[in-house]
Amino acid sequence: MLTNKTIVLGITGGIAAYKAVDIASKLTQAGAKVEVVMTESATRFITPLTLRAITGRPVVTSMWEPAGEFRVEHIALAEAADIIAIAPATANIIARLAAGISDDILSCTVLASKAPVLVAPAMHTAMFLNPVTQENLARLKARGFIIVDPASGKLASGGQGVGRLPDTEIIIAAIEKTLTRSSDLDGRHIVVTAGGTREPIDPVRYVGNRSSGKMGYALAEAARDRGATVVLITASPHPGPSGVEVVTVETATQMQSAVAKATVSADALIMAAAVADYRPKNVSPTKIKKQAPGLTLELVRNPDILAEAMGSFIKVGFAAESENLLENARQKLEMKQLDIIVANDITETGSGFAVETNRVTLIDKQGNVTELPLMTKREVADKILDRVGELLTKR
Ligand code: PMT
């Protein structure tokens, strides 16, 4: 699994830096090409020479001293990496990565790379639990970084608590899992819908909903990062992620045409969009003036895009529910003939529309129910794609 993989191992300046020697050693023994990048503070805890001897490769410690076969170090490393693993990661590097600051070789490499980035925080408990560090970690998670939670136990500072670098085996297992994930959708074609459709009333107003597009965008990014070719059909005004074909639509009927076109050769359709079930029957070409005593809008049914989508691709729907979550979701799974439905309780704090996190339950057509805890939308996206990947390999 690790043979011939290029792993950029970032080491930052904490006491746990000495444990990175063991990580580098085990990765090298497993056949990986380990390119060590050390921050200046890391070199105060262990010497580059140690890592060089372990990996048999030059160790990079500065932007300004090209070493080995690479010419522009951070770009060459960024492009060569199958994964970047930062262990240990201090509160400082976590904050710099969250803010996009790139003032040393490690942060520049991360910023320039499209490879998955795994971060293993290790620091004193109070620093780890500080809301700033937690916010920074949440930002990284939302962007798709993989965070390996620190272990609890005796700390170098003397106390007990959370903040220890987990055992080498745990970090290597996380690297292996990420590497498997980062290519499991290679060659697959995935269509994702996002955002809330807008059904015009007149040139000014529309019937709409609260969807921001975050859930669908997270799915598109995650599918892209796992090697899929992605078409994102979005009714959200936000620009789509890079590396993804973005089709912008406004109404349900436009979304239906775009879905029909994009799914011709698709392996999976995942509909996170909140599609209006009704649209105004007549759209006024001019702005409707105030009327007394009021205004009555006649609405007609929109097509059900998912139910009407034709093809042999995997179909995943969402069910945004405010009551009878599982019962309603199961009905939609059956009625729309889906492979998986993502039951989404929109009444819970931190879940549903326009927030960074979501709590969902996955139900498949065999009746298996997987309840997931509150997690970032990116993590939810990866859980959904794990299931889509499994279904695709079974075909
Ligand atoms: O965009 P965010 O702010 O991140 O919010 C995320 C979300 C809450 C919108 C998302 O997680 C979610 O739950 N999306 C589905 C919302 C919805 O419209 O659910 P529904 O129960 O009305 O529809 C069921 C399924 O059928 C959905 O997959 C929907 O895309 C699809 N549908 C619905 C109506 C319709 N006319 N055609 C459809 O294809």
Side-chain angles (χ1 to χ4, degrees):
M1 154 93 264
L2 294 170
T3 314
N4 297 327
K5 295 289 183 197
T6 299
I7 299 176
V8 171
L9 178 62
I11 307 177
T12 64
I15 184 62
Y18 79 92
K19 295 186 181 172
V21 176
D22 190 39
I23 299 171
S25 167
K26 299 256 166 53
L27 289 173
T28 307
Q29 283 168 34
K33 187 169 160 189
V34 182
E35 305 287 358
V36 175
V37 177
M38 296 174 74
T39 60
E40 203 271 323
S41 349
T43 64
R44 293 173 183 256
F45 289 92
I46 41 168
T47 72
L49 187 62
T50 312
L51 275 310
R52 186 182 180 127
I54 293 286
T55 61
R57 315 262 328 144
V59 170
V60 184
T61 55
S62 157
M63 295 277 287
W64 316 114
E65 292 166 26
E69 69 206 48
F70 295 111
R71 296 213 339 258
V72 182
E73 292 291 342
H74 61 289
I75 301 297
L77 283 169
E79 286 174 356
D82 289 304
I83 185 170
I84 300 175
I86 306 177
T90 56
N92 182 34
I93 188 77
I94 290 166
R96 296 208 330 271
L97 294 179
I101 294 170
S102 49
D103 57 356
D104 70 356
I105 181 75
L106 181 57
S107 48
C108 280
T109 305
V110 172
L111 206 61
S113 185
K114 289 194 176 135
V117 184
L118 183 144
V119 171
M123 64 198 75
H124 185 264
T125 307
M127 290 174 81
F128 177 70
L129 295 179
N130 190 298
V132 177
T133 306
Q134 291 300 314
E135 268 169 36
N136 288 332
L137 284 167
R139 279 167 80 183
L140 293 182
K141 266 192 196 179
R143 277 187 225 144
F145 285 55
I146 298 100
I147 312 296
V148 183
D149 291 332
S152 292
K154 196 166 178 315
L155 300 167
S157 50
Q160 292 268 343
V162 66
R164 282 169 64 88
L165 189 69
D167 290 344
T168 300
E169 288 64 34
I170 293 176
I171 290 171
I172 291 184
I175 291 174
E176 284 179 336
K177 187 170 167 205
T178 308
L179 282 170
T180 316
R181 228 182 209 185
S182 68
S183 58
D184 68 342
L185 297 176
D186 255 350
R188 300 296 189 181
H189 175 179
I190 301 208
V191 178
V192 177
T193 67
T197 61
R198 297 175 175 199
E199 311 296 334
I201 298 170
D202 68 11
V204 178
R205 295 110 170 175
Y206 58 82
V207 177
N209 63 68
R210 299 175 194 280
S211 170
S212 63
K214 286 176 194 285
M215 189 62 244
Y217 283 39
L219 277 157
E221 283 172 2
R224 172 202 64 194
D225 292 348
R226 296 166 75 141
T229 304
V230 181
V231 179
L232 172 66
I233 299 167
T234 177
S236 156
H238 300 297
S242 61
V244 160
E245 184 186 332
V246 180
V247 180
T248 305
V249 296
E250 193 180 333
T251 64
T253 43
Q254 288 170 4
M255 184 171 276
Q256 186 177 38
S257 307
V259 165
K261 197 167 157 216
T263 49
V264 170
S265 59
D267 293 296
L269 166 65
I270 309 177
M271 288 213 40
V275 183
D277 286 316
Y278 297 90
R279 66 176 185 276
K281 184 174 181 192
N282 300 307
V283 181
S284 169
T286 52
K287 185 180 172 193
I288 298 171
K289 298 290 170 215
K290 276 197 194 82
Q291 297 167 23
L295 174 69
T296 303
L297 278 181
E298 189 180 349
L299 301 176
V300 291
R301 280 299 292 264
N302 263 334
D304 190 314
I305 305 172
L306 252 185
E308 293 174 21
M310 304 292 279
S312 59
F313 43 84
I314 306 280
K315 281 206 230 173
V316 181
F318 276 69
E321 302 296 339
S322 54
E323 56 189 347
N324 303 331
L325 179 68
L326 299 187
E327 197 184 314
N328 289 339
R330 277 195 193 97
Q331 269 175 20
K332 287 179 184 169
L333 174 87
E334 234 171 81
M335 201 269 285
K336 296 178 195 238
Q337 303 211 321
L338 307 178
D339 295 280
I340 301 169
I341 191 130
V342 183
N344 200 164
D345 182 350
I346 53 164
T347 59
E348 198 182 314
T349 311
S351 174
F353 295 105
V355 286
E356 300 298 331
T357 47
N358 214 354
R359 185 195 290 275
V360 303
T361 300
L362 308 185
I363 309 176
D364 66 21
K365 67 175 174 198
Q366 283 74 34
N368 299 310
V369 177
T370 313
E371 203 180 324
L372 298 174
L374 187 71
M375 43 176 72
T376 64
K377 285 187 171 165
R378 173 58 192 245
E379 288 171 314
V380 171
D382 272 313
K383 293 285 183 197
I384 295 168
L385 291 173
D386 285 348
R387 299 293 286 276
V388 170
E390 283 167 21
L391 291 178
L392 286 172
T393 41
K394 277 191 202 148
R395 288 195 149 189

